[in-house]
Amino acid sequence: MTEPLFDRVAILGIGLIGSSLARVIRREDMARTVVAGDTGPGVAERALELGIVDEATTDLAQAVRDADLVVLCAPVGVSDQIARTIAPSLKPGAIVTDVGSVKLRVIEMVTPELPDTVHFVPGHPLAGTEKSGPDAGFAQVFQGRWCVLTPLPDTNPDALEKVSEMWRRAGMAIEIMDPAHHDRVLAITSHLPHLIAYTIVGTASNMETQMSREVVRFSATGFRDFTRIAGSDPIMWRDIFLNNRDAVLDVLQRFTEDLTALQRAIRWGEGEVLEELFSRTRAIRKAVIDAKQA
Amino acid sequence: MTEPLFDRVAILGIGLIGSSLARVIRREDMARTVVAGDTGPGVAERALELGIVDEATTDLAQAVRDADLVVLCAPVGVSDQIARTIAPSLKPGAIVTDVGSVKLRVIEMVTPELPDTVHFVPGHPLAGTEKSGPDAGFAQVFQGRWCVLTPLPDTNPDALEKVSEMWRRAGMAIEIMDPAHHDRVLAITSHLPHLIAYTIVGTASNMETQMSREVVRFSATGFRDFTRIAGSDPIMWRDIFLNNRDAVLDVLQRFTEDLTALQRAIRWGEGEVLEELFSRTRAIRKAVIDAKQA
């Protein structure tokens, strides 16, 4: 049997990712005690009921007391507020990490709030579904996926290694990245696709009533996949767009230019422009399949 | 045992949909003989090898001889050319139907070419995957999906009923629609989503080389679903956009306006605009799930 990595782990925000992490920590025996801290009505209690944590509280400062690992799993927009709330209660030597989909802003928000005696390891496990809440989590969600860690120049190497080891035991492959680069890669692979999906589903719902009923009815031919993505947690995604603004606006600009070019090709009947692009994107699909990310 | 619906069926274009139809016709014993006609190199032959048709030929006029049902399953752009090729060989009283994703233009292209002695029933089974070719087909693809038929005022009711019955036996529910309305509904549920997916995958591939490698590597968080859609058949989709131009340009314009509004909300940090939309789209996702189209 492997030695538990941690004595006491506090998970702040016990939604889809937080509760999945609690489950995998238990499955892999990574900690002696897991505490859920969540201020949402009934959420912490629900995690306790599900039997995935040992203790649960709505008092975040209470949750982190004596923890040697604190994992921030709340929407990124409240990172600074949570860091401020827990700072006085953090045990010296504790490791603080996060799972936010944005890294530069989270680092800016969290770092100044934390005492010098704790180690901050910014991270982002690339895992999840469109669902949310503690009931939606499952230990397997991390299996075979990437976890990006974006340590700072002064990040403690032992803390980085312990966080890495936790995600490895959860089934993830670790990738170390510069935070700004992370934010650009995610802007194109994740944030822009979500923004587009939200938009197109919104556009459909704005059409006349009969049409939007039919859109739902006949959604199996493309639209359906967009509704799945656009069913993701509204607060989480609001915070991502507001906190990765520059990178999102940059890729959005590129996307709009490319879309305008296609629009023009359709208007003028330039079939060869469409065919050339559609053949190129098919090759990328093949690359995704070959990279076993399909 | 049910009576075979047809004596001899000719399927012109034995790709994903054509070969799936051949398979389901065999499974349900809907015809005594099924003929594949396909001018693609080796395609008709491959269908014969797969054992899903009784006869195969690259000569489309030959394929339709004596057929009492002819199903056009080629990309919509060649509909007029195929209709012209087969017209002199069609048996009087034969039914001609199609599976094209665009209806107005197909009707415009096919109707004038066909002799008055045959019955044309324009149709569109809303089924498929991103794959193509006779190996990619499977009989189950139609199960539980919608088949839209867009008969003309003078369409023969018996012919309409026979085509409906074929798709019902394939597992589909029939919806009768006006062709122009079909084209508008599909523009938003299918054509626009595909155009957007093609664009975003193209935008990603245009980014610098290192970035596009990483886009593939970290595609699991949204981008992946778009690459699947953007892996669809290039010729088929080129023809759809060129032949449903007005409806596609109309929904694209609405989409662009909505996207611009979101872009502005992100730039100006208007979280409530984002949150309101994201909550609304989540309700639509629920409607899609409730309609059992998820």
Side-chain angles (χ1 to χ4, degrees), chain A residues 6 10 49 57 72 77 82 102 137 144 173 207 211 228 245 256 283 287:
Chain A
F6 303 103
E49 246 173 58
T57 172
L72 310 178
I82 292 181
V102 171
M207 298 184 83
M211 181 69 101
R228 194 184 57 69
R245 195 181 63 174
T256 304

Side-chain angles (χ1 to χ4, degrees), chain A residues 104-259:
Chain A
L104 269 184
R105 272 293 290 150
V106 167
I107 292 168
E108 275 176 28
M109 288 194 282
V110 170
T111 313
E113 305 293 344
L114 297 181
D116 293 341
T117 53
V118 306
H119 309 297
F120 181 44
V121 181
H124 179 203
L126 306 188
T129 72
E130 73 283 12
K131 308 221 170 68
S132 37
D135 286 271
F138 55 104
Q140 272 301 105
V141 77
F142 306 112
Q143 192 62 46
R145 298 289 170 205
W146 290 98
C147 182
V148 179
L149 299 176
T150 61
L152 304 166
D154 62 350
T155 297
N156 179 290
D158 294 339
L160 175 61
E161 175 48 31
K162 280 194 108 168
V163 172
S164 302
E165 181 59 17
M166 175 180 78
W167 291 117
R168 275 194 293 263
R169 292 197 196 170
M172 305 196 91
I174 305 298
E175 175 83 7
I176 302 294
M177 225 185 251
D178 171 73
H181 187 67
H182 165 277
D183 288 359
R184 288 190 67 216
V185 171
L186 270 287
I188 179 78
T189 56
S190 174
H191 306 171
L192 182 61
H194 276 80
L195 190 68
I196 297 302
Y198 279 123
T199 306
I200 198 168
V201 174
T203 302
S205 81
N206 286 339
M207 298 184 83
E208 65 272 42
T209 318
Q210 195 212 346
M211 181 69 101
S212 55
R213 253 201 318 273
E214 287 177 326
V215 164
V216 167
R217 201 163 179 197
F218 305 114
S219 60
T221 43
F223 190 67
R224 177 176 50 175
D225 295 314
F226 288 71
T227 66
R228 194 184 57 69
I229 299 176
S232 302
D233 191 75
I235 305 291
M236 171 179 155
W237 281 97
R238 178 200 65 191
D239 282 6
I240 289 173
F241 295 120
L242 296 180
N243 290 290
N244 197 21
R245 195 181 63 174
D246 295 346
V248 168
L249 291 178
D250 174 57
V251 293
L252 188 49
Q253 185 57 39
R254 291 166 182 255
F255 169 82
T256 304
E257 288 163 19
D258 293 345
L259 186 61

Side-chain angles (χ1 to χ4, degrees), chain A residues 36-60:
Chain A
D38 200 304
T39 57
V43 181
E45 207 178 319
R46 179 63 190 151
L48 200 58
E49 246 173 58
L50 288 168
I52 58 177
V53 295
D54 303 290
E55 299 171 24
T57 172
T58 56
D59 180 340
L60 304 187

